[in-house]
Amino acid sequence: MLTKRFTRNELQNLRASNTFYCRDCREPLILKIGNQITPHFSHYRHSDCVNSSEPESPMHLQGKKDLYLWLKGQDLEVTLEQYIPSIQQRADLLVRKNGQLFAVEYQCSPIPFRQIMKRTEGYKSLNILPVWILGGYPCRKEAGKGPDVFTCTDFQLYFLRYIRKHYFYLFSYFPKKQALCMLFRMVPASSRRFHALYDEKPLSSFAFPFTDVQFHTKTFPLSLVDWFSERRNWIRMKVQFGKAFLDPFLRQVYESGLHPLFLPSFIGLPLKQMAICKQHPVVWQFYVWKDFSSAIMQKACVSLDEMVSLFFRRVGKKEIELRKTPFVHEKNVVKVMLFEYAQTLTRLGYWEEAGKTKYMMNKNICFPKNMEELDGMEHNITLRLPPIL
C-alpha cells in the first residue's frame, strides 16, 4: 500500500527521479498520484504484459485498500496484487489463514461469466480458495414496486449464494459506506426482479473468511395477494408479446388444451428455494406439472428423483434455464426446490404423498375456466398457504 509507506509529496519526488518496472514483464510503469484516487502503478497503453488490465476505478482501489486493512486487522498474512506464475493470474489480495491460502477478488466492473470460472478453477487447481466480493451495490431498488422489490443485473447475479434449506442471497462491499450491502431471502418475480430483504452492516462486524452463518437475517412475509397480482400481469404481458406458438412455453400451454390466463394459481407459486431458475416460476412450474401429469398416467406415483431427472431433461432442451453462479451446486438446489414445490402442492391438497419423497395426484382438481374461478382459487390458496418468509 503506497500511501502507508510514503506521503503523496514523497511519491511525487520518487516519480520525478526514478523509473519503475513491472516485476512480471519488466516493462516500464506509470506511477499515478491523483487527488481523488489511491496512488498506484499502471502499464502504458498497448502494453504486452499478460497481467496488464483495464485502468482500476477509484472504487476498486479504495475497496482493495479497505479489505487489506480489514484483513491485517485480524492479524492475517496478506499480500496485495500477488502474481501466481503457474496460472498467470494476479489476485487482488492473497491471504493465509491457518495454513490455507485464499485469493480475494474484489470485482467492480462487469466481466464475462467464463472469466470468473476460469479464474476460480485456476485458483482451485493450486488448492487456493477463491473469495469473490462484488463491488458497489448488489441491486437497484425498483421504484414504485413496493419496499421489498429489487432489480439485479445478470452480472450481479453471477455472485448469487445459497444457504441450504433457507434462502438465496447476494452481498457486496461499498467503500463509501465501508459496509457490506446484502440482499437476503431472494424470491424471483422475473428473471431480474426479486422480492427480498435489504440490509447493510459494517465490514468490521465480519470475520474472514465469510461464512453463511454471518449472513443469517430476520424474516419478512411475502404478500400472496400482491404476488398473484404480479403473476397475472406477467402472464398478460407474456400472452401479448410472447409470439404465441413461436414461444415454446405458450405453445405447450395451448397444446395442453389450456389458456395461459386461466392457468391454475398453483402454477407459479413463490418458493424460498427457487432463485436458481432464471425463468418466471409460472414457466418452470408448468413444465414440472405437465411432466408429472404425463408420468402419473403410466405409474401409481412419481418419485422426487424422477422429477429431478425430468426437470434436467427440460434444461437440456433449453426450455428451462438455470442461473450461472460458481457458488451454488445446481443439482442439489434443484432437488431441494422441487421438494419444496411438491410439499407445497401436497399441503394444498393437489398432490398426495405415497411414501418417502413419492407423490401421486389428487384426481379431484378443477382448473379455472374464467376469472371468477381463478379469483376463488387464489383466495383459497392465500387462506391455506402459510406466509413465504
Side-chain angles (χ1 to χ4, degrees), residues 234-243 250 254 259-261:
W234 183 88
I235 293 174
R236 288 192 194 100
M237 296 295 287
K238 186 71 169 174
V239 171
Q240 185 175 354
F241 299 107
K243 298 181 181 179
L250 291 177
Y254 290 127
H259 192 287
L261 293 177

Side-chain angles (χ1 to χ4, degrees), residues 40-93:
H40 63 284
F41 291 104
S42 173
H43 282 83
Y44 284 88
R45 187 176 296 181
H46 307 307
S47 167
D48 292 325
C49 181
V50 296
N51 297 299
S52 177
S53 58
E54 293 297 316
E56 292 183 271
S57 67
M59 180 168 65
H60 187 258
L61 290 166
Q62 186 61 49
K64 283 197 301 184
K65 178 180 178 180
D66 293 348
L67 292 167
Y68 174 84
L69 295 175
W70 171 65
L71 291 163
K72 292 293 287 184
Q74 298 173 62
D75 295 323
L76 298 178
E77 181 184 333
V78 190
T79 307
L80 267 170
E81 297 288 346
Q82 177 65 53
Y83 180 62
I84 306 171
S86 60
I87 55 175
Q88 297 187 337
Q89 293 178 197
R90 186 186 301 279
D92 285 332
L93 298 149

